[in-house]
Amino acid sequence: MRDFSSNPRRAGGGRAAGVLLFVGGLALLLSLASLVRAWSENRRVGQRLQDERSGLRGVQTRLRSLEGARNPDRSRGLQAMLTLEASPPRVFQDLAKALPPDVRLNNVVLDYGNRLDVDMQVLARSAGAYDAFLARLEDGGSFENIVPGDENREGEVTARVEATYKAGTP
Amino acid sequence: MGPFATRCFIAFDALGVSGAVVSRKLGRPLVRSFASRALSPGALNPVPSERNIASPEEVRRAVKDVAESLAPGPSRVTLMLPDGVARIVLLDLPGDVNPAAFARFRLASSLPYPVAEAVIDGLRVGHGKFLAAAVRRSVVEEYEQTLAATALVQDRIDLSPLAAVSALLRQPVTARTVDVILGDAAVSMALHGGEGLSAFRGRRRDPGPDEMWRLRDEALRTLALAGNGTQPRIRVVGSGAGAAIGAFVAEGDTAEPGWRLDGQLPALAGAEHAWLGSALA
């Protein structure tokens, strides 16, 4: 039965609740120990991943600036063409097609340059929903160079995803 | 609580506090006693995110009077919160999810306060849909505190519009039926399509001589938005249901009370109290 109480009443289980509490406490202690181990491992790997990503971004930025410097007129022309072929409503329409019901976008940045880079802050109710979103993004045909960024998988998944919009896709 | 138990309800709205003790006789709900006390204007204002009870002493006194008038009744009571305090949304549930947790996720970005402050629950309405509602915890606590002056113990808290929908769904309903659920300060509309409840809308009431015509327009708009034509069957419950039905029928609509409690208590016009749906469901 639905209940909107500020402290919903729970059916009491007496002795059974006590036993469950004890078993639960024991399980909690064991899982805390393994959590600490996993956390330190995760931190080590995360730091390495971060270093690699920083390096990659540096190279990408340098590459783009070199391309722009080589031919600034061509660069501006591409930007104008992109704005026409990949207007924000169209990009958002394609993004919406890829969104499962239990995933939402908290922030989207469209960066019109030689190509259209899309930077998204994603919030998904579960890891499965987040993975489904990535799969639909890849399979939809409107985005490429999909790079899942920083993730936080404590309960809901918050993540950053970068992708390039393929202008001119039907 | 078993199906044969006697249950006690205390309901709040902008114009007054009312209550009932309900049991079952031959499987049908029987209202054993009913009482109500009027509140002065502004004493209680059902809104989602701000203080609701401006005159706590007056509201507590009204609750105490109603509780005493209902005696002898059970000590555990269900508090019915008025339309206007909650954000209510009809959601399609994706597969095997916990409805309340899913509702929390979907409502998070649309609440006028942090989702951590929300109490969220709802009603499964069939066909994989969930009528979810969020109420601010501080608002719930205001209503809970009104029981302090009585010997009653809070059992649970329900929302009048959800209770009404729950009771109305138990009756035979055809597509193109619009349920109009009237509170003193807000009104909700539920539209039934070919596959159960297809839309749910809510808005503040705007009392005045033209209000019933505007409500009728709103009901027709709800029907048109769902692409279901313009000739609805309208069921009405709640504050002013009789007047609304009269206005709708005068315009040639098929309108009727959402439920009847004829012959139970002379002072009780059952369809005028949407919260009674909780006793009927």
Side-chain angles (χ1 to χ4, degrees):
Chain A
M1 200 66 174
R2 63 191 169 273
D3 187 5
F4 293 88
S5 303
S6 59
N7 284 305
R9 192 167 56 94
R10 299 287 175 223
R15 183 186 292 265
V19 172
L20 282 176
L21 200 64
F22 175 74
V23 173
L26 206 59
L28 184 67
L29 282 177
L30 290 172
S31 56
L32 271 178
S34 70
L35 182 70
V36 168
R37 275 198 303 275
W39 181 74
S40 51
E41 175 67 11
N42 185 38
R43 199 172 166 198
R44 196 174 58 78
V45 172
Q47 187 55 50
R48 269 188 60 194
L49 189 63
Q50 192 65 38
D51 294 346
E52 296 291 339
R53 266 196 204 120
S54 303
L56 182 63
R57 281 204 194 108
V59 170
Q60 282 176 336
T61 310
R62 191 165 143 70
L63 186 63
R64 270 181 227 158
S65 68
L66 285 173
E67 281 174 350
R70 195 174 58 185
N71 193 343
D73 287 342
R74 181 173 172 271
S75 184
R76 275 195 290 276
L78 275 173
Q79 195 168 354
M81 194 182 76
L82 262 180
T83 316
L84 289 173
E85 287 193 354
S87 62
R90 186 165 172 194
V91 179
F92 282 114
Q93 199 176 20
D94 288 341
L95 273 177
K97 282 182 203 161
L99 273 181
D102 36 9
V103 175
R104 69 167 191 258
L105 299 177
N106 281 349
N107 193 36
V108 177
V109 176
L110 303 183
D111 183 7
Y112 286 88
N114 288 343
R115 57 186 198 176
L116 172 52
D117 289 325
V118 184
D119 189 338
M120 296 162 266
Q121 288 290 343
V122 183
L123 176 61
R125 286 193 65 238
S126 62
Y130 175 59
D131 294 341
F133 169 61
L134 290 178
R136 286 163 78 160
L137 210 57
E138 282 169 354
D139 298 344
S142 299
F143 296 89
E144 60 187 358
N145 302 330
I146 296 160
V147 183
D150 302 336
E151 284 180 26
N152 180 355
R153 292 197 175 217
E154 289 169 13
E156 293 176 342
V157 178
T158 53
R160 182 179 169 193
V161 176
E162 294 173 336
T164 303
Y165 187 73
K166 286 160 75 174
T169 44
Chain B
M1 189 168 285
F4 303 106
T6 299
R7 295 179 294 169
C8 182
F9 299 88
I10 300 279
F12 300 85
D13 214 331
L15 300 181
V17 175
S18 36
V21 172
V22 183
S23 62
R24 288 199 166 260
K25 188 177 181 183
L26 299 175
R28 299 185 60 187
L30 176 68
V31 182
R32 304 182 74 88
S33 61
F34 173 84
S36 65
R37 294 290 180 274
L39 294 172
S40 54
L44 191 156
N45 183 26
V47 288
S49 57
E50 290 162 20
R51 191 170 176 78
N52 277 217
I53 299 178
S55 306
E57 197 49 48
E58 183 183 347
V59 176
R60 263 189 232 124
R61 198 166 52 244
V63 170
K64 191 166 184 280
D65 287 352
V66 167
E68 286 171 0
S69 301
L70 292 177
S75 60
R76 300 199 75 86
V77 63
T78 299
L79 297 186
M80 302 299 302
L81 270 46
D83 201 347
V85 303
R87 172 159 168 71
I88 305 178
V89 180
L90 183 63
L91 298 173
D92 286 309
L93 294 175
D96 189 20
V97 296
N98 176 307
F102 181 69
R104 181 169 290 277
F105 174 77
R106 290 297 299 271
L107 287 168
S109 56
S110 62
L111 295 175
Y113 47 84
V115 71
E117 294 178 23
V119 181
I120 295 178
D121 204 338
L123 171 70
R124 278 185 186 271
V125 293
H127 300 277
K129 289 177 180 166
F130 187 65
L131 193 56
V135 194
R136 194 172 200 176
R137 191 176 300 277
S138 59
V139 169
V140 173
E141 286 166 351
E142 281 187 73
Y143 289 95
E144 288 174 333
Q145 284 158 12
T146 61
L147 282 188
T150 71
L152 296 170
V153 178
Q154 177 185 320
D155 182 33
R156 66 184 183 91
I157 290 193
D158 200 356
L159 304 177
S160 291
L162 291 196
V165 170
S166 176
L168 290 164
L169 279 173
R170 287 177 169 255
Q171 302 173 27
V173 58
T174 54
R176 294 193 301 123
T177 297
V178 180
D179 292 331
V180 178
I181 301 159
L182 298 160
D184 290 341
V187 56
S188 296
M189 292 189 186
L191 173 68
H192 300 268
E195 293 195 335
L197 202 61
S198 61
F200 189 90
R201 309 176 67 196
R203 49 165 283 190
R204 302 292 294 176
R205 283 187 72 170
D206 184 14
D210 299 332
E211 188 194 12
M212 294 308 166
W213 313 123
R214 287 198 300 274
L215 277 178
R216 179 177 179 272
D217 288 345
E218 189 78 21
L220 295 181
R221 215 162 18 243
T222 303
L223 197 68
L225 278 175
N228 277 330
T230 55
Q231 286 296 309
R233 170 193 175 214
I234 305 176
R235 300 187 295 185
V236 191
V237 292
S239 173
I245 292 168
F248 296 161
V249 170
E251 289 294 306
D253 297 327
T254 306
E256 62 201 81
W259 55 70
R260 295 175 197 278
L261 294 172
D262 298 341
Q264 295 209 7
L265 287 174
L268 176 63
E272 295 281 330
H273 304 282
W275 56 270
L276 271 175
S278 199
L280 305 176

